[in-house]
Amino acid sequence: MITMAVVLACVINGDAITGLLRQAAWLVVAVIVLIVVQATASRLPQPRVKPGVVPDTSG
């Protein structure tokens, strides 16, 4: 157990934690932007597409 703690302490340093927090912050920003875009898109009026006439290609 102590060996694992020493290895983790060597691997996880301040730069690694800073990078991890930076990545997590960008992930949170991306999720918030996605939620805002979806909420905005759901409030926009949906275009009504009229069914078109299918051309006769039988001959």
Side-chain angles (χ1 to χ4, degrees), residues 25-39:
W26 279 114
L27 177 64
V28 169
V29 169
V31 169
I32 289 173
V33 168
L34 181 63
I35 290 171
V36 168
V37 166
Q38 286 184 343

Side-chain angles (χ1 to χ4, degrees), residues 39-56:
T40 304
S42 68
R43 293 182 185 265
L44 291 175
Q46 299 297 322
R48 297 186 181 206
V49 178
K50 296 180 182 177
V53 178
V54 178
D56 185 16

